[in-house]
Amino acid sequence: MTKRPLKPGLWVLAATAGFGVGLADRSPAQEQEDPVQRQIRESQERLDAIRGERQQLRQQLESLSGQVHNVSEEIRNIERQLSTSSSVVAELGVQINALVEQILITTRDMLFTHDQLTARKVILQRRLREIYKRGPLAPVQALLAANSFGDLLNRYKYLHQVAMFDRMLVLEIQRLESQLVGQRDLLAGEATQVQNLRQEKGREIDDLRRLEQQRQRRLRTYSTRQTQAESRLAQLALDEQRLRNLLTELERARRDAERLSGTATTSTLRTSDLGQLNWPVEGGIVYGFGPERVGQTTTLREGIGIAAPAGTPVRAVESGTVMYAGPRNLYGQSVILGHGGGYYSVYLYMQRLAVREGAEVDSGQVIGSVGGAASPEGPHVEFQIYEPSAGGTPRAVDPVRWLRGRG
């Protein structure tokens, strides 16, 4: 019984058909930029910008903390931080969702690679069995069985194709095994990223809760301070009215004394002194002359607040007579100087008095020291000037117009 000659390339072509399909079928993610990774990168860029803005807000909040007059600004800052932190949480959610999608893609690619590797190994095992059955001399026998030189060339080409196929098969299996290891490492890395992002998102959510609690505390503080400020302004309005009543009585007594004596006193304050008087104390103005409103309460500031360290000497802006020296409710220790002709200068929020009622003082003489440490404005002196009016009641004017300009 003679063996039927092998048909050159027949089973090799059949096997390489599936092999070639496997080589051509590559994941699109390997051939072009991954849209999921692009989404994560863009989200990370937005996240970095948001975190930069939040860092600036935190630095601003540090500079605002503890400043009485900036509680409302603190609240606005915290609310902006809440907004940025919410954006951070949202961006982290975008990245987590994108990575979960990427994990699904990587898992799919890994399963595809695993199937390809399994199929190649099946083909390789089949080839190895075929080689084993034919024996090591099978190629030589195939060449020697040639009937002609043309048949010999065909058989040689066939054997060459088989050898090339076997070599490509082994290289493909090695490549797929390496690719599978890489995909497994990538999958593990993506899973770690997701875990880290979820932990970071948890911390950001905790930070959101902390910011909300901080906002609620500052709102309560602001509400309490606003209530206290409204109450204090109402008390100041009452004290201011009492001070005006006292000045009205002092002015009535002065006029009665002049009428009885038949002589009129000359004022030490003259219109030529406008813009020329020395300041009672050097310092910045913490509040000006005019109305002040807090919530639903409005009061009229009839003087200016001048900030200075507690204990700083306070000096008379012009010579005069001490018409009053003593405590005035919220104003604390106070001094009223009469300058004659219906002019008065008033010094409030003092700590210590250096003069008594009825004493004559010279311009620049120390009449007390700065107090007001317990007030919302801190240590300061309130300075007022009253001018005569046709009705007989002294009229408060902006004292800045009488004081020397300081550039």
Side-chain angles (χ1 to χ4, degrees):
M1 182 177 180
T2 60
K3 293 183 179 180
R4 295 177 62 186
L6 293 173
K7 294 183 179 179
L10 183 60
W11 75 270
V12 176
L13 293 174
T16 55
F19 181 65
V21 171
L23 287 175
D25 190 2
R26 299 291 182 87
S27 172
Q30 298 174 353
E31 299 296 334
Q32 58 184 1
E33 185 179 6
D34 191 340
V36 176
Q37 287 298 327
R38 184 172 63 253
Q39 182 183 9
I40 293 174
R41 185 178 64 256
E42 292 172 353
S43 174
Q44 186 62 43
E45 291 173 356
R46 293 193 299 269
L47 189 59
D48 292 340
I50 294 169
R51 282 175 170 161
E53 180 184 357
R54 186 173 63 179
Q55 182 60 30
Q56 292 179 353
L57 290 172
R58 286 175 175 173
Q59 292 173 353
Q60 291 175 7
L61 183 61
E62 289 178 2
S63 66
L64 290 172
S65 296
Q67 298 183 25
V68 174
H69 297 288
N70 284 325
V71 177
S72 59
E73 185 63 28
E74 283 187 50
I75 294 172
R76 285 192 292 271
N77 181 284
I78 293 171
E79 288 174 344
R80 289 170 63 190
Q81 285 194 57
L82 279 168
S83 176
T84 56
S85 293
S86 298
S87 298
V88 168
V89 170
E91 289 299 338
L92 288 173
V94 169
Q95 293 189 26
I96 289 172
N97 292 335
L99 276 172
V100 169
E101 183 179 351
Q102 183 65 53
I103 286 174
L104 294 175
I105 294 173
T106 304
T107 302
R108 183 196 65 194
D109 291 345
M110 189 176 68
L111 292 174
F112 179 74
T113 302
H114 182 271
D115 291 343
Q116 283 186 310
L117 180 61
T118 301
R120 301 301 181 272
K121 286 183 176 180
V122 168
I123 296 173
L124 181 60
Q125 289 173 359
R126 187 183 305 157
R127 283 290 299 127
L128 291 174
R129 284 197 301 269
E130 193 71 28
I131 293 171
Y132 177 76
K133 288 179 181 180
R134 292 181 178 275
L137 298 178
V140 177
Q141 292 174 351
L143 291 173
L144 293 176
N147 297 323
S148 63
F149 183 73
D151 187 23
L152 177 64
L153 289 178
N154 288 335
R155 287 172 179 267
Y156 176 78
K157 291 180 181 179
Y158 165 75
L159 292 174
H160 179 72
Q161 289 178 354
V162 169
M164 288 293 297
F165 168 77
D166 290 342
R167 187 179 296 110
M168 292 176 62
L169 182 59
V170 171
L171 291 175
E172 178 67 4
I173 288 175
Q174 292 175 349
R175 186 189 67 81
L176 290 172
E177 286 178 340
S178 176
Q179 181 175 317
L180 188 61
V181 171
Q183 288 172 337
R184 285 173 178 167
D185 292 342
L186 179 61
L187 187 62
E190 291 169 347
T192 301
Q193 276 186 278
V194 169
Q195 182 180 3
N196 292 339
L197 285 173
R198 284 174 174 164
Q199 291 175 352
E200 187 176 0
K201 184 177 179 181
R203 291 192 295 269
E204 290 292 342
I205 291 174
D206 290 340
D207 191 50
L208 269 176
R209 295 194 186 100
R210 179 188 61 79
L211 282 172
E212 180 58 30
Q213 292 171 357
Q214 186 178 2
R215 187 178 76 93
Q216 293 297 331
R217 287 195 301 270
R218 299 310 289 164
L219 282 173
R220 288 194 294 270
T221 300
Y222 181 75
S223 178
T224 300
R225 288 184 178 178
Q226 187 176 27
T227 301
Q228 292 173 347
E230 290 179 355
S231 175
R232 187 173 184 276
L233 282 183
Q235 182 62 43
L236 282 175
L238 181 60
D239 289 348
E240 191 63 48
Q241 183 59 50
R242 290 170 177 168
L243 180 59
R244 284 194 294 270
N245 293 340
L246 174 59
L247 287 166
T248 300
E249 293 175 3
L250 292 173
E251 179 63 11
R252 184 182 300 115
R254 183 191 68 81
R255 292 190 176 192
D256 289 344
E258 287 183 351
R259 197 164 40 249
L260 289 174
S261 65
T263 58
T265 59
T266 302
S267 174
T268 57
L269 281 180
R270 297 171 295 276
T271 54
S272 59
D273 292 325
L274 287 171
Q276 300 300 319
L277 299 180
N278 290 323
W279 289 63
V281 65
E282 290 297 326
I285 296 178
V286 292
Y287 55 81
F289 178 87
E292 179 177 341
R293 181 180 180 86
V294 175
Q296 302 299 318
T297 303
T298 303
T299 189
L300 180 64
R301 294 278 193 182
E302 297 199 336
I304 60 172
I306 308 172
T312 302
V314 179
R315 302 178 184 276
V317 297
E318 186 54 88
S319 60
T321 303
V322 178
M323 308 301 296
Y324 178 87
R328 294 297 301 176
N329 299 313
L330 287 182
Y331 290 133
Q333 297 295 332
S334 306
V335 170
I336 300 176
L337 295 183
H339 301 284
Y343 288 90
Y344 297 88
S345 61
V346 181
Y347 310 79
L348 309 172
Y349 292 108
M350 290 205 288
Q351 183 183 68
R352 179 185 59 82
L353 300 182
V355 293
R356 295 181 179 180
E357 289 184 14
E360 298 293 330
V361 298
D362 296 326
S363 175
Q365 181 178 333
V366 175
I367 59 175
S369 61
V370 173
S375 69
E377 296 82 10
H380 74 290
V381 167
E382 182 170 332
F383 175 61
Q384 303 176 351
I385 285 186
Y386 289 81
E387 298 176 356
S389 66
T393 300
R395 177 175 59 91
V397 296
D398 188 348
V400 173
R401 62 195 290 262
W402 284 89
L403 300 175
R404 190 185 306 277
R406 298 186 300 181

